[in-house]
């Protein structure tokens, strides 16, 4: 009897073809540490990391591939932005659907949280936005609820925030890999997403894409060795090193590299909608 996996909102299964092979191959045949040596294996691994950044840059129309940062997960990506930019007492605008990866860091900092009310359709009610948006330090908004799956009106929200000069951070945990979108078109200051959901990559790896101008205003959360400017006691000012202290999850990045090799958003979206239609029809007793 076949089992049907229905926990993709938590983590995808099965992973993309080649992911586990890429991880195993790196651990069995390479296992180098980029930036800590200049021999062939480190250089080859470094090139694959660069290729992975560039694939993300292309898929999500990011402003700059060097500002594609690898983190320890989606939670780490959000914490990096929030704790590096928001101070105690700052006003921060969020949706009514936010994950604890957004809410708890803000509470920990002591920020003033203002929630956009939800409309009956399960999306943020933009007609209820506060009148003085310029009083907000930041807006963090999910792209889709992890409960209802409703796609949020990010483009309209982004326009309002852009006019008020408020940076927008998008939580794309439930949409990256499922729904095509452009970081530039949405005018995002930062985009956060995990490798292990819609991108069909491994767990324990997050992605943080910065708008370059905004990145310079965010203080790095973690300081340490980067394999660059080792003679200096200061955090490097250039990217991605500024936000990538410590050893990267290279096995995970190699797995993500394999997962990103062949993504056809249109085909995937059509297939998912077909499965949803089939599922709802069967629940209602229909025949498809």
């Amino acid at each position: 009897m076949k089992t049907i996996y229905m926990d993709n909102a938590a983590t995808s299964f099965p992973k993309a073809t080649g992911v586990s092979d890429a991880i195993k191959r790196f651990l069995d045949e390479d296992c180098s540490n980029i930036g800590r040596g200049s021999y062939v294996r480190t250089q080859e691994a470094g090139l694959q990391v660069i290729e992975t950044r560039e694939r993300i840059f292309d898929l999500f129309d990011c402003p700059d591939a060097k500002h594609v940062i690898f983190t320890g997960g989606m939670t780490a990506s959000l914490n990096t932005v929030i704790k590096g930019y928001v101070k105690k007492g700052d006003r921060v605008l969020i949706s009514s659907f936010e994950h604890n990866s957004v809410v708890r860091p803000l509470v920990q900092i002591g920020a003033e949280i203002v929630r956009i009310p939800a409309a009956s359709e399960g999306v943020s009610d933009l007609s209820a936005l506060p009148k003085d948006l310029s009083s907000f330090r930041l807006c963090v908004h999910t792209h889709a609820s992890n409960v209802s799956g409703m796609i949020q009106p990010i483009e309209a929200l982004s326009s309002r925030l852009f006019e008020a000069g408020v940076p927008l951070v998008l939580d794309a945990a439930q949409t990256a890999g499922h729904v095509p979108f452009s970081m530039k078109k949405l005018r995002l200051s930062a985009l956060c997403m995990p490798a292990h959901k819609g991108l069909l990559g491994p767990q324990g790896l997050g992605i943080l894409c910065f708008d370059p101008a905004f990145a310079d205003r965010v203080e790095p959360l973690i300081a340490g060795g980067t394999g660059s400017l080792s003679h200096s006691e200061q955090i490097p000012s250039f990217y991605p090193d500024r936000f990538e202290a410590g050893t990267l999850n290279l096995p995970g990045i190699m797995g993500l590299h394999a997962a990103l090799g062949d993504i056809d958003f249109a085909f995937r979206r059509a297939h998912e909608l077909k499965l949803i239609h089939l599922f709802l029809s069967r629940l209602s007793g229909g025949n498809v």
Side-chain angles (χ1 to χ4, degrees):
M1 181 179 176
K2 289 185 177 181
T3 58
I4 299 175
Y5 183 77
M6 298 183 68
D7 202 19
N8 274 285
T11 192
S12 58
F13 179 82
K15 299 303 180 185
T17 302
V19 169
S20 58
D21 289 340
I23 294 171
K24 186 177 188 303
R25 182 167 55 250
F26 179 77
L27 291 173
D28 289 349
E29 301 176 11
D30 194 330
C31 218
S32 57
N33 197 354
I34 63 170
R36 275 68 174 178
S38 57
Y39 51 96
V40 173
R41 281 160 59 177
T42 62
Q43 293 173 346
E44 290 177 345
L47 285 174
Q48 278 200 288
V49 173
I50 291 172
E51 284 181 6
T52 310
R53 290 189 212 278
E54 290 176 343
R55 289 180 181 182
I56 294 165
F57 164 78
D58 288 336
L59 279 170
F60 298 99
D61 193 24
C62 303
D64 182 8
K66 295 190 297 295
H67 286 75
V68 174
I69 310 299
F70 293 115
T71 71
M74 179 67 182
T75 298
S77 294
L78 286 165
N79 272 256
T80 297
V81 180
I82 292 169
K83 292 183 177 179
Y85 189 70
V86 177
K87 308 301 181 188
K88 184 176 181 179
D90 284 344
R91 300 188 81 206
V92 178
L93 185 67
I94 67 173
S95 77
S96 299
F97 314 100
E98 294 309 312
H99 191 272
N100 276 333
S101 297
V102 171
V103 178
R104 286 178 176 174
L106 290 172
V107 170
Q108 187 181 37
I109 291 167
E112 179 187 345
I113 300 172
V114 178
R115 290 176 170 84
I116 306 171
S120 59
E121 298 84 2
V123 297
S124 286
D125 183 359
L126 300 190
S127 68
L129 281 173
K131 291 183 179 180
D132 184 16
L133 288 176
S134 63
S135 67
F136 289 95
R137 172 74 168 171
L138 187 70
C139 177
V140 186
H141 202 295
T142 187
H143 198 188
S145 165
N146 66 336
V147 177
S148 69
M150 292 296 293
I151 306 295
Q152 300 296 315
I154 299 301
E155 191 166 357
L157 173 64
S158 175
S159 295
R160 299 279 297 276
L161 294 170
F162 184 78
E163 290 173 1
V166 180
L168 172 60
V169 178
L170 186 67
D171 174 347
Q174 302 300 333
T175 55
H178 296 287
V179 179
F181 62 89
S182 163
M183 185 176 173
K184 290 179 187 174
K185 185 177 180 180
L186 293 177
R187 292 187 283 203
L188 304 178
S189 293
L191 167 64
C192 300
M193 50 191 164
H196 71 98
K197 295 191 181 185
L199 296 179
L200 305 183
Q203 294 156 313
L205 179 64
I207 302 150
L208 168 56
C209 305
F210 273 122
D211 172 80
F214 179 70
D216 291 341
R217 298 159 63 190
V218 179
E219 189 68 24
L221 185 61
I222 299 173
T226 57
S228 59
L229 300 183
S230 297
H231 63 282
S232 173
E233 295 179 348
Q234 302 299 315
I235 295 172
S237 60
F238 50 86
Y239 298 85
D241 299 44
R242 178 171 160 79
F243 285 97
E244 286 187 350
T247 296
L248 292 174
N249 177 4
L250 291 174
I253 294 172
M254 299 308 163
L256 179 60
H257 180 274
L260 296 177
D262 186 24
I263 290 185
D264 184 334
F265 279 126
F267 174 82
R268 181 181 290 184
R269 185 66 175 161
H271 180 65
E272 289 172 348
L273 290 173
K274 181 180 178 181
L275 291 176
I276 291 169
H277 175 69
L278 176 63
F279 175 71
L280 295 175
S281 177
R282 291 291 175 87
L283 282 181
S284 62
N287 295 314
V288 176

